Amino acid sequence: LAFYNRTLDGNMSNLTEDVELTFTQGMAIYYGDIYEMGSDAWNVVLAEADYDLDINYGQGDAVQLAFNVTHGAGDYIPDGPYTLLDANTAEELPAGTMIAGIYDASYGGYYSVRRQVEARLVSGMVDVSREGDIYTLELKLKDGAERNVTATYTGKLTYYSGE
């Protein structure tokens, strides 16, 4: 039986300080227009080497991000800045945004370490650029207590289709 110390209720974070992360692998799942709210959806997981992307679990740091992109962008995540927004209050999910962490479904922006440290990501942005099949993602995010979660990942994203 696992116990998670989640503080700050709706903010759902037990971080005690800012974190700067280093990732060695990533995957991206394209879902298309699953929300019917103005964009197509990509879910991205970035992780350290000792994290198993196939089962979405491991000993290392990982972050989950939910991107909203232009309709029809199913081959790659388009370049540009993506800003977190609260999907619980948004009337649409326009391209160029990301979904903040939604705890009930464990969806949207999250950071975790061995499922013992976790943070619902509620604000900030991710800048995406791509050359061929090599992505660079620069994360400048915050949890509900204004703690910084930052990282830069450069590498391939293993592609999956969720359509």
Side-chain angles (χ1 to χ4, degrees):
L1 178 65
F3 174 76
Y4 302 109
N5 178 20
R6 294 187 180 99
T7 58
L8 301 170
D9 269 353
N11 295 323
M12 294 298 176
S13 176
N14 61 2
L15 287 179
T16 57
E17 61 187 3
D18 294 348
V19 292
E20 186 169 344
L21 308 170
T22 303
F23 299 121
T24 60
Q25 60 178 331
M27 71 175 211
I29 305 169
Y30 177 69
Y31 289 105
D33 187 18
I34 60 172
Y35 303 116
E36 299 179 358
M37 292 183 68
S39 62
D40 286 359
W42 280 89
N43 194 50
V44 171
V45 176
L46 302 175
E48 291 181 332
D50 56 352
Y51 191 93
D52 188 339
L53 291 174
D54 290 332
I55 61 172
N56 199 20
Y57 186 79
Q59 295 299 308
D61 291 346
V63 68
Q64 174 178 283
L65 305 167
F67 291 90
N68 303 309
V69 303
T70 306
H71 280 301
D75 293 330
Y76 59 89
I77 300 169
D79 291 0
Y82 291 82
T83 304
L84 275 175
L85 60 78
D86 186 349
N88 293 314
T89 59
E91 293 185 20
E92 61 179 26
L93 301 173
T97 63
M98 297 183 325
I99 299 173
I102 301 171
Y103 181 71
D104 290 337
S106 293
Y107 189 74
Y110 272 94
Y111 159 67
S112 68
V113 182
R114 293 179 291 283
R115 308 270 192 225
Q116 294 174 11
V117 174
E118 59 183 31
R120 175 179 175 255
L121 303 173
V122 300
S123 66
M125 57 87 56
V126 173
D127 192 39
V128 175
S129 60
R130 181 181 63 87
E131 283 193 38
D133 59 355
I134 303 297
Y135 284 87
T136 298
L137 286 83
E138 294 181 51
L139 289 68
K140 296 175 187 166
L141 304 165
K142 291 185 180 283
D143 72 355
E146 296 289 315
R147 291 182 192 94
N148 294 305
V149 177
T150 59
T152 298
Y153 171 75
T154 300
K156 293 182 179 185
L157 295 175
T158 302
Y159 173 84
Y160 297 93
S161 176
E163 285 190 295

